[in-house]
Amino acid sequence: MADRITPEQRHLNMAAIHCRDTKPEMIVRRFLWSNGYRYRLNHPRLPGKPDIVLRSYRTCIFINGCFWHGHNVDFKAHTPESSDCCKIPKTNTEFWIAKIKRNQERDDDVLLKLKQMGWNTIVLWECQLKPSFRELTLRKLDYILCKLYLNKRSEW
């Protein structure tokens, strides 16, 4: 299937996508700050430079884009199928499958390293922060952070 736009326009579109200060990330950051959570952004000394680091909770939060991290796509299958929130492009399919697969492998490696270092990790997906799911997702995040705080306090 031929692409509807020129390669130059496609390049410009893809180059305009940034990895920091994305809309889903800003939603989570505003929620955390307004609820009294204080955090650091993209900590350079932690594996994967997590989007949000809550040092007092020893917790890292990653906010993943569904497409870039292959949400609900099983790459172990012979022919990976698109999911509801991650559509594999019809053009240059082999390149995109390899890229997203590498991203997933790197994500798994980063989460394992953080766990070995004693950090808790939370992964939020872009589709979980859409308006219809946002409130529930943010309430769950608050619940998890409260539970982590209480567990930490019981160790004192």
Side-chain angles (χ1 to χ4, degrees), residues 1-5 7 10-11 14 67-68 75 87-102:
M1 178 178 183
D3 202 353
R4 288 184 225 153
I5 59 176
R10 174 70 62 207
H11 175 75
M14 298 309 275
F67 172 74
W68 298 103
F75 286 103
K87 305 290 184 211
I88 298 172
K90 301 269 189 240
T91 58
N92 209 2
T93 306
E94 294 80 22
F95 167 79
W96 287 111
I97 288 175
K99 179 170 185 54
I100 295 168
K101 191 174 183 179
R102 280 192 316 270

Side-chain angles (χ1 to χ4, degrees), residues 135-146:
E135 185 180 342
L136 178 62
T137 301
L138 295 175
R139 276 194 282 136
K140 284 181 181 179
L141 175 62
D142 188 38
Y143 175 79
I144 291 167
L145 292 173
C146 287

Side-chain angles (χ1 to χ4, degrees), residues 56-122:
S56 58
Y57 294 80
R58 202 147 174 84
T59 300
C60 299
I61 300 174
F62 292 91
I63 298 130
N64 289 346
C66 292
F67 172 74
W68 298 103
H69 296 269
H71 189 211
N72 291 334
V73 176
D74 180 18
F75 286 103
K76 293 177 179 97
H78 180 60
T79 55
E81 297 286 328
S82 294
S83 67
D84 291 338
C85 56
C86 176
K87 305 290 184 211
I88 298 172
K90 301 269 189 240
T91 58
N92 209 2
T93 306
E94 294 80 22
F95 167 79
W96 287 111
I97 288 175
K99 179 170 185 54
I100 295 168
K101 191 174 183 179
R102 280 192 316 270
N103 288 348
Q104 284 183 340
E105 290 166 356
R106 187 185 62 243
D107 292 344
D108 292 342
D109 186 46
V110 164
L111 294 177
L112 180 62
K113 286 178 183 175
L114 286 167
K115 184 178 181 180
Q116 290 169 345
M117 293 170 67
W119 285 84
N120 301 301
T121 55
I122 299 171

Side-chain angles (χ1 to χ4, degrees), residues 144-156:
I144 291 167
L145 292 173
C146 287
K147 195 170 180 181
L148 288 171
Y149 177 74
L150 292 174
N151 286 343
K152 180 183 169 190
R153 238 179 127 173
S154 68
E155 293 172 5
W156 294 341

